[in-house]
Amino acid sequence: MITSKQRNLPPWQVRNNHFGIYIHYPYCFQKCDYCDFYSEGIGKDPAKNEQELFDGFIREIIDKKQISNDLNNRTCDTVFFGGGTPSKASVHSFERILKTIRNEFRLESEVEISIEVNPEDLDSKLLLDYASIGINRVNIGVQTTKEEGLNFLGRHYDKVKYKSLPEVLNNSPIQRVGIDLMYGIPGVSIEDFYFDLNTFLSIKLPHLSLYSLTLEKGTQYSRNVKDLKKTPPKEEEQIKILEELPNYLKSFGYEWYEVSNYCLPGFESQHNLKYWTYEPYLGIGPGAHGFLDGKRYGNPRNTNLYIRDPIKVKWENADPNSELALTLFRLFSPFLYMDFLESYVSPKNREEYLNKIYSWEKRGLCQIKNSVFQWKNKALLTLDDLILELISGS
């Protein structure tokens, strides 16, 4: 199914002339028990306040442009509609906001425009409609095709839609297609996970996001586990799969470029790379976060409040001395580490970073050559601890 031009960009380096836009659509068919993103379940019908919500998006875009140097001095090369389940909204609403974005900002000629879609909304017509308004990347939140696993997660299950997924995606008019799969779900075996993975490998989907089920504080799932109503994730199985995936997917031609993300060469999520390479992005919508002009902000996690006042946010100064460890060092593809350290980290903290990085090299955890840093596979299981070493040193 892959016929579009492929680009192979690594090693990643600092870019000072681009920004991205993230737009958060908060509604879903139903709120999944494990999800800690801001979202609201509203059933199968469209949101009654969809027009007002998109009005708020447009107001926020115009307001942020008036106060941000990044938005006026850089070119937008990614737009990402996330959620929630943005595929619940009408194509007309997305066409309308894309028109606003094209009018307000300089856009790269090959701007990546992504949207998250749930299986219950997906069909060939929807993909054609998205393509007609310029959306050129879709990501499908599959998680698992096993009904018992979806029920455990508190997800809506449409048997017909799930069964038709491979055929619909294999014939997609949009070439940049990705899926999310989850492993370690009670009731879903390792064999079940690999059955799903192999199904999508057989049609050579260009992007795969493969996550372990986690207990996120404040979610219904974490409360159920605490109250002994549900079992926790299967950690031993998660570790086994986590260790197997890099070499397994490499045998199919997939590159491992971030802890949980794999792609065929040149099909990385350009938008998500902004989060990991410390690039600015405009966050729009209730519950969205943004990073502009060296400051971070978060919108209220309340849709009605957001619609009433979409431009009221609290700004905080970002601290690259610690934040760079949490973002950049999640990448498993190579990057120019000195480029990032010299651009963002203070001289004192830079020395701490370098001491730690060189100690990792001596321990055989990473490879450093010609100012390019890359983790070795053996660093995976202790990655969180290694990143904490950087943070404690900064």
Side-chain angles (χ1 to χ4, degrees):
M1 66 175 289
I2 300 169
T3 57
S4 58
K5 181 181 178 182
Q6 297 186 1
R7 295 171 296 164
N8 199 4
L9 300 179
W12 310 115
Q13 58 189 353
V14 172
R15 302 193 311 161
N16 295 309
N17 53 355
H18 292 88
F19 74 94
I21 301 174
Y22 173 80
I23 299 173
H24 190 79
Y25 181 83
Y27 297 122
C28 298
F29 182 94
Q30 66 189 47
K31 173 78 172 180
C32 297
D33 292 349
Y34 65 89
C35 179
D36 68 337
F37 291 102
Y38 172 63
S39 58
E40 302 176 38
I42 60 170
K44 65 179 181 179
D45 294 329
K48 295 179 180 178
N49 60 356
E50 181 175 312
Q51 181 172 329
E52 291 82 1
L53 177 62
F54 278 77
D55 287 344
F57 292 162
I58 292 171
R59 283 180 58 196
E60 188 181 1
I61 286 171
I62 293 172
D63 176 76
K64 292 292 194 304
K65 183 188 175 185
Q66 292 174 347
I67 61 175
S68 170
N69 290 326
D70 280 342
L71 298 182
N72 287 284
N73 298 332
R74 294 176 178 240
T75 299
C76 174
D77 63 344
T78 68
V79 179
F80 194 104
F81 296 108
T85 306
S87 53
K88 281 189 65 64
S90 69
V91 174
H92 170 73
S93 290
F94 291 116
E95 183 178 28
R96 177 180 167 220
I97 198 165
L98 285 173
K99 181 179 179 180
T100 298
I101 290 170
R102 292 181 177 111
N103 288 339
E104 295 293 330
F105 304 114
R106 293 194 308 271
L107 264 63
E108 195 69 64
S109 59
E110 295 185 5
V111 57
E112 176 190 88
I113 304 177
S114 306
I115 189 167
E116 292 180 337
V117 180
N118 271 13
E120 63 263 22
D121 300 319
L122 186 67
D123 56 33
S124 297
K125 182 181 183 303
L126 183 66
L127 292 173
L128 284 169
D129 288 344
Y130 284 158
S132 72
I133 63 170
I135 292 175
N136 53 26
R137 184 176 182 276
V138 294
N139 197 79
I140 318 301
V142 178
Q143 316 312 342
T144 176
T145 65
K146 190 172 176 64
E147 185 173 2
E148 293 89 337
L150 292 167
N151 289 336
F152 183 91
L153 296 173
R155 285 179 64 87
H156 174 65
Y157 176 65
D158 185 321
K159 184 177 181 179
V160 174
K161 292 286 189 177
Y162 269 83
K163 187 176 181 179
S164 66
L165 267 176
E167 181 181 358
V168 171
L169 295 181
N170 193 40
N171 293 289
S172 171
I174 297 173
Q175 298 295 299
R176 300 181 71 87
V177 177
I179 59 161
D180 295 345
L181 287 179
M182 186 176 288
Y183 53 90
I185 306 169
V188 179
S189 68
I190 292 178
E191 292 75 21
D192 292 328
F193 168 76
Y194 276 105
F195 176 85
D196 286 344
L197 179 57
N198 289 331
T199 296
F200 294 106
L201 287 175
S202 70
I203 58 172
K204 297 183 179 179
L205 286 190
H207 194 278
L208 304 167
S209 296
L210 308 173
Y211 301 101
S212 59
L213 174 63
T214 57
L215 282 171
E216 300 290 347
K217 185 178 179 181
T219 63
Q220 184 61 48
Y221 179 44
S222 67
R223 290 190 289 269
N224 287 340
V225 170
K226 183 179 180 181
D227 295 338
L228 304 180
K229 295 179 180 179
K230 283 191 174 181
T231 54
K234 299 187 286 187
E235 291 188 5
E236 289 185 4
E237 291 188 5
Q238 289 178 331
I239 292 172
K240 176 178 171 59
I241 293 172
L242 188 64
E243 290 181 306
E244 292 175 346
L245 283 174
N247 288 332
Y248 184 74
L249 289 171
K250 186 177 181 179
S251 70
F252 288 88
Y254 287 79
E255 296 182 348
W256 183 26
Y257 74 98
E258 191 271 344
V259 175
S260 303
N261 287 276
Y262 300 80
C263 68
L264 294 175
F267 284 92
E268 296 86 354
S269 167
Q270 299 301 314
H271 182 82
N272 285 344
L273 277 166
K274 293 187 181 301
Y275 305 144
W276 302 319
T277 57
Y278 215 63
E279 288 191 25
Y281 57 94
L282 170 63
I284 297 295
H289 291 80
F291 175 43
L292 295 171
D293 307 299
K295 296 182 179 181
R296 296 195 180 276
Y297 65 90
N299 288 340
R301 292 168 63 97
N302 182 302
T303 302
N304 291 329
L305 181 61
Y306 173 82
I307 289 173
R308 288 199 298 270
D309 190 0
I311 60 177
K312 184 178 182 180
V313 298
K314 182 179 180 181
W315 296 82
E316 295 182 354
N317 288 325
D319 180 13
N321 292 320
S322 59
E323 289 188 13
L324 204 64
L326 294 167
T327 54
L328 184 65
F329 287 88
R330 285 182 58 88
L331 290 176
F332 271 77
S333 52
F335 57 86
L336 295 171
Y337 71 101
M338 285 304 301
D339 191 26
F340 286 95
L341 297 185
E342 291 175 352
S343 297
Y344 298 123
V345 179
S346 67
K348 176 180 178 298
N349 291 107
R350 194 182 309 153
E351 184 177 352
E352 297 284 349
Y353 266 75
L354 291 175
N355 289 337
K356 189 58 62 179
I357 288 170
Y358 297 147
S359 76
W360 292 339
E361 184 184 28
K362 290 179 181 179
R363 291 153 60 187
L365 296 168
C366 66
Q367 176 178 302
I368 298 174
K369 186 177 181 180
N370 299 327
S371 296
V372 175
F373 176 98
Q374 185 170 20
W375 288 114
K376 293 185 177 180
N377 288 16
K378 64 188 296 185
L380 177 61
L381 293 182
T382 58
L383 186 64
D384 288 343
D385 293 332
L386 296 173
I387 288 174
L388 285 175
E389 289 180 17
L390 276 183
I391 296 173
S392 61
S394 65

